[in-house]
Amino acid sequence: LLHRAASLFQGVVPKLLEEYRQAPVRHADETGWRNDGRSGYAWLFATPLLCVFLFRRSRSAKVAREALGEAPLAGGLVVDRYNGYNHAPCPLQYCYAHLLRAVEDLAKEFPDQAEVQAFTATLIPLLAEAMHLHSQPLPDEEYYARARPLKRKIEKVVASPAHHLGVRAM
């Protein structure tokens, strides 16, 4: 019975991954997963309407390639800055929650570095505002009217020249 169920799912997963690839916005994440005492990873590939989990032994970029394919994709991929997604066949958008945590960690790690503190003090409220904006029940027109200038401010901050390697990494 398990073998029969497994063979049924083998045909479904490629179809679901193809649907995932067609979405204008995709999310991907992975986390450690133990099964019968053996380590591996649970990979999530999701859209607002679809979730595909792949359980693999590896955290290698080849799993991301398996899900995303090799052909260029329209739209973007939202990720947590894990470098396994760096060669995705579409533009990347870093998850603001993960980016916010990384910026907060940078501020804590270098409390005496003026450049770091100025950068983080500017970027943290902008990221928080962007995340809060998403949860507001706004009509699309108003949402985008607020989001566009906020996006420009965030891009300006992260594109500013920096000497500190931690700031440059952001």
Side-chain angles (χ1 to χ4, degrees), residues 70-102:
E70 301 287 338
L73 299 174
L77 177 64
V78 181
V79 297
D80 61 2
R81 298 180 68 215
Y82 169 54
N83 67 9
Y85 303 109
N86 286 352
H87 297 291
C90 59
L92 298 180
Q93 163 69 54
Y94 292 138
C95 167
Y96 277 10
H98 284 91
L99 187 56
L100 177 61
R101 279 193 295 260

Short mmCIF file of all heavy atoms in Angstrom, two decimals, residues 70-102:
data_model
loop_
_atom_site.label_atom_id
_atom_site.label_comp_id
_atom_site.label_asym_id
_atom_site.label_seq_id
_atom_site.Cartn_x
_atom_site.Cartn_y
_atom_site.Cartn_z
N GLU A 70 15.42 24.96 -14.33
CA GLU A 70 16.56 25.70 -14.90
C GLU A 70 16.12 26.87 -15.78
O GLU A 70 16.86 27.83 -15.95
CB GLU A 70 17.43 24.74 -15.74
CG GLU A 70 17.99 23.56 -14.97
CD GLU A 70 19.12 23.93 -14.02
OE1 GLU A 70 19.75 24.97 -14.21
OE2 GLU A 70 19.36 23.15 -13.06
N ALA A 71 14.93 26.80 -16.32
CA ALA A 71 14.45 27.83 -17.25
C ALA A 71 14.13 29.12 -16.50
O ALA A 71 13.63 29.07 -15.37
CB ALA A 71 13.21 27.34 -17.99
N PRO A 72 14.40 30.27 -17.11
CA PRO A 72 14.07 31.55 -16.46
C PRO A 72 12.58 31.61 -16.11
O PRO A 72 11.73 31.17 -16.89
CB PRO A 72 14.42 32.59 -17.52
CG PRO A 72 15.41 31.92 -18.41
CD PRO A 72 15.03 30.46 -18.42
N LEU A 73 12.29 32.15 -14.93
CA LEU A 73 10.92 32.24 -14.45
C LEU A 73 10.49 33.70 -14.33
O LEU A 73 11.30 34.55 -13.92
CB LEU A 73 10.79 31.59 -13.07
CG LEU A 73 11.14 30.10 -12.98
CD1 LEU A 73 11.11 29.65 -11.53
CD2 LEU A 73 10.19 29.27 -13.83
N ALA A 74 9.25 33.97 -14.67
CA ALA A 74 8.68 35.30 -14.43
C ALA A 74 8.44 35.44 -12.93
O ALA A 74 8.33 34.45 -12.22
CB ALA A 74 7.39 35.45 -15.21
N GLY A 75 8.35 36.66 -12.48
CA GLY A 75 8.07 36.88 -11.06
C GLY A 75 9.30 36.72 -10.20
O GLY A 75 10.43 36.70 -10.70
N GLY A 76 9.08 36.62 -8.91
CA GLY A 76 10.20 36.58 -7.97
C GLY A 76 10.10 35.45 -6.98
O GLY A 76 9.08 34.76 -6.89
N LEU A 77 11.18 35.30 -6.22
CA LEU A 77 11.29 34.26 -5.19
C LEU A 77 11.66 34.93 -3.88
O LEU A 77 12.68 35.62 -3.79
CB LEU A 77 12.37 33.24 -5.59
CG LEU A 77 12.66 32.12 -4.59
CD1 LEU A 77 11.44 31.22 -4.40
CD2 LEU A 77 13.86 31.31 -5.05
N VAL A 78 10.84 34.73 -2.85
CA VAL A 78 11.08 35.29 -1.52
C VAL A 78 11.82 34.24 -0.70
O VAL A 78 11.32 33.12 -0.53
CB VAL A 78 9.77 35.70 -0.83
CG1 VAL A 78 10.04 36.30 0.55
CG2 VAL A 78 8.98 36.67 -1.70
N VAL A 79 13.01 34.62 -0.20
CA VAL A 79 13.86 33.69 0.54
C VAL A 79 14.45 34.35 1.78
O VAL A 79 14.34 35.56 1.96
CB VAL A 79 14.99 33.12 -0.35
CG1 VAL A 79 14.42 32.32 -1.50
CG2 VAL A 79 15.89 34.23 -0.86
N ASP A 80 15.14 33.55 2.57
CA ASP A 80 15.70 34.01 3.84
C ASP A 80 17.19 34.37 3.77
O ASP A 80 17.83 34.45 4.79
CB ASP A 80 15.50 32.94 4.90
CG ASP A 80 16.19 31.62 4.55
OD1 ASP A 80 16.87 31.53 3.51
OD2 ASP A 80 16.05 30.66 5.33
N ARG A 81 17.73 34.57 2.62
CA ARG A 81 19.13 34.91 2.38
C ARG A 81 20.05 33.69 2.38
O ARG A 81 21.25 33.83 2.31
CB ARG A 81 19.64 35.97 3.38
CG ARG A 81 18.89 37.28 3.26
CD ARG A 81 19.35 38.34 4.22
NE ARG A 81 20.69 38.77 3.87
CZ ARG A 81 21.61 39.13 4.76
NH1 ARG A 81 21.33 39.13 6.04
NH2 ARG A 81 22.80 39.52 4.37
N TYR A 82 19.50 32.48 2.47
CA TYR A 82 20.34 31.28 2.35
C TYR A 82 20.91 31.24 0.94
O TYR A 82 20.19 31.37 -0.04
CB TYR A 82 19.52 30.03 2.67
CG TYR A 82 20.21 28.74 2.33
CD1 TYR A 82 21.49 28.45 2.82
CD2 TYR A 82 19.61 27.80 1.51
CE1 TYR A 82 22.13 27.27 2.49
CE2 TYR A 82 20.25 26.61 1.18
CZ TYR A 82 21.51 26.35 1.68
OH TYR A 82 22.15 25.18 1.35
N ASN A 83 22.22 31.05 0.83
CA ASN A 83 22.88 31.14 -0.48
C ASN A 83 22.53 30.00 -1.44
O ASN A 83 22.88 30.06 -2.60
CB ASN A 83 24.39 31.31 -0.34
CG ASN A 83 25.06 30.09 0.25
OD1 ASN A 83 24.44 29.04 0.41
ND2 ASN A 83 26.32 30.23 0.59
N GLY A 84 21.84 28.99 -0.98
CA GLY A 84 21.39 27.92 -1.86
C GLY A 84 20.40 28.39 -2.92
O GLY A 84 20.17 27.71 -3.92
N TYR A 85 19.83 29.57 -2.72
CA TYR A 85 18.88 30.13 -3.68
C TYR A 85 19.52 31.16 -4.61
O TYR A 85 18.85 31.69 -5.50
CB TYR A 85 17.71 30.81 -2.94
CG TYR A 85 16.97 29.89 -2.00
CD1 TYR A 85 17.09 30.03 -0.63
CD2 TYR A 85 16.18 28.86 -2.49
CE1 TYR A 85 16.42 29.19 0.25
CE2 TYR A 85 15.50 28.01 -1.63
CZ TYR A 85 15.64 28.17 -0.26
OH TYR A 85 14.97 27.34 0.59
N ASN A 86 20.79 31.45 -4.43
CA ASN A 86 21.44 32.53 -5.18
C ASN A 86 21.44 32.34 -6.69
O ASN A 86 21.56 33.31 -7.42
CB ASN A 86 22.87 32.75 -4.69
CG ASN A 86 22.91 33.45 -3.35
OD1 ASN A 86 21.89 33.89 -2.84
ND2 ASN A 86 24.08 33.52 -2.77
N HIS A 87 21.32 31.13 -7.16
CA HIS A 87 21.31 30.89 -8.61
C HIS A 87 19.93 30.54 -9.12
O HIS A 87 19.78 29.91 -10.17
CB HIS A 87 22.33 29.80 -8.97
CG HIS A 87 23.73 30.19 -8.63
ND1 HIS A 87 24.41 31.17 -9.31
CD2 HIS A 87 24.56 29.76 -7.65
CE1 HIS A 87 25.61 31.32 -8.78
NE2 HIS A 87 25.72 30.49 -7.76
N ALA A 88 18.91 30.99 -8.39
CA ALA A 88 17.53 30.76 -8.82
C ALA A 88 17.31 31.43 -10.18
O ALA A 88 17.91 32.47 -10.46
CB ALA A 88 16.55 31.33 -7.79
N PRO A 89 16.46 30.85 -11.01
CA PRO A 89 16.24 31.42 -12.36
C PRO A 89 15.24 32.58 -12.37
O PRO A 89 14.49 32.76 -13.32
CB PRO A 89 15.71 30.21 -13.14
CG PRO A 89 15.00 29.40 -12.12
CD PRO A 89 15.79 29.57 -10.84
N CYS A 90 15.23 33.35 -11.29
CA CYS A 90 14.34 34.52 -11.18
C CYS A 90 14.93 35.46 -10.14
O CYS A 90 15.79 35.07 -9.36
CB CYS A 90 12.93 34.08 -10.80
SG CYS A 90 12.85 33.20 -9.23
N PRO A 91 14.44 36.69 -10.11
CA PRO A 91 14.93 37.64 -9.10
C PRO A 91 14.58 37.18 -7.68
O PRO A 91 13.54 36.55 -7.46
CB PRO A 91 14.20 38.94 -9.43
CG PRO A 91 13.72 38.79 -10.83
CD PRO A 91 13.52 37.32 -11.04
N LEU A 92 15.44 37.52 -6.73
CA LEU A 92 15.21 37.19 -5.33
C LEU A 92 14.69 38.40 -4.57
O LEU A 92 15.08 39.53 -4.84
CB LEU A 92 16.51 36.73 -4.66
CG LEU A 92 17.16 35.48 -5.21
CD1 LEU A 92 18.44 35.18 -4.44
CD2 LEU A 92 16.21 34.29 -5.17
N GLN A 93 13.82 38.15 -3.63
CA GLN A 93 13.36 39.15 -2.67
C GLN A 93 13.64 38.56 -1.30
O GLN A 93 13.17 37.46 -1.00
CB GLN A 93 11.86 39.40 -2.82
CG GLN A 93 11.22 40.10 -1.63
CD GLN A 93 11.65 41.53 -1.47
OE1 GLN A 93 11.54 42.31 -2.38
NE2 GLN A 93 12.15 41.88 -0.30
N TYR A 94 14.45 39.25 -0.50
CA TYR A 94 14.72 38.73 0.83
C TYR A 94 13.52 38.97 1.73
O TYR A 94 12.92 40.05 1.72
CB TYR A 94 15.96 39.37 1.43
CG TYR A 94 17.23 38.97 0.72
CD1 TYR A 94 18.21 39.89 0.46
CD2 TYR A 94 17.44 37.66 0.30
CE1 TYR A 94 19.38 39.52 -0.19
CE2 TYR A 94 18.60 37.29 -0.36
CZ TYR A 94 19.57 38.22 -0.59
OH TYR A 94 20.71 37.87 -1.24
N CYS A 95 13.19 37.97 2.50
CA CYS A 95 12.12 38.06 3.47
C CYS A 95 12.45 39.17 4.45
O CYS A 95 13.52 39.17 5.06
CB CYS A 95 11.98 36.71 4.17
SG CYS A 95 10.97 36.75 5.65
N TYR A 96 11.55 40.13 4.62
CA TYR A 96 11.82 41.26 5.50
C TYR A 96 11.98 40.81 6.95
O TYR A 96 12.75 41.41 7.70
CB TYR A 96 10.72 42.31 5.38
CG TYR A 96 10.88 43.26 4.22
CD1 TYR A 96 11.82 43.05 3.23
CD2 TYR A 96 10.09 44.38 4.12
CE1 TYR A 96 11.97 43.93 2.17
CE2 TYR A 96 10.23 45.28 3.06
CZ TYR A 96 11.17 45.04 2.10
OH TYR A 96 11.32 45.91 1.06
N ALA A 97 11.26 39.80 7.39
CA ALA A 97 11.40 39.33 8.77
C ALA A 97 12.81 38.79 9.01
O ALA A 97 13.44 39.10 10.04
CB ALA A 97 10.35 38.27 9.09
N HIS A 98 13.33 38.01 8.07
CA HIS A 98 14.70 37.50 8.21
C HIS A 98 15.71 38.64 8.11
O HIS A 98 16.69 38.68 8.85
CB HIS A 98 15.00 36.45 7.13
CG HIS A 98 14.39 35.12 7.39
ND1 HIS A 98 13.13 34.79 6.92
CD2 HIS A 98 14.84 34.05 8.06
CE1 HIS A 98 12.84 33.57 7.29
NE2 HIS A 98 13.86 33.09 7.99
N LEU A 99 15.49 39.54 7.17
CA LEU A 99 16.39 40.67 7.01
C LEU A 99 16.38 41.55 8.27
O LEU A 99 17.45 41.97 8.74
CB LEU A 99 15.98 41.48 5.79
CG LEU A 99 16.91 42.60 5.36
CD1 LEU A 99 18.33 42.10 5.12
CD2 LEU A 99 16.37 43.28 4.10
N LEU A 100 15.21 41.78 8.83
CA LEU A 100 15.11 42.58 10.05
C LEU A 100 15.91 41.94 11.18
O LEU A 100 16.66 42.63 11.89
CB LEU A 100 13.65 42.76 10.45
CG LEU A 100 13.38 43.53 11.74
CD1 LEU A 100 13.93 44.95 11.67
CD2 LEU A 100 11.89 43.55 12.05
N ARG A 101 15.77 40.64 11.37
CA ARG A 101 16.54 39.93 12.42
C ARG A 101 18.04 40.08 12.18
O ARG A 101 18.81 40.30 13.12
CB ARG A 101 16.15 38.47 12.49
CG ARG A 101 14.88 38.23 13.27
CD ARG A 101 14.72 36.75 13.58
NE ARG A 101 14.54 35.97 12.38
CZ ARG A 101 13.37 35.54 11.92
NH1 ARG A 101 12.27 35.81 12.59
NH2 ARG A 101 13.30 34.83 10.83
N ALA A 102 18.47 39.95 10.93
CA ALA A 102 19.90 40.07 10.62
C ALA A 102 20.41 41.48 10.91
O ALA A 102 21.51 41.66 11.45
CB ALA A 102 20.15 39.71 9.15
#
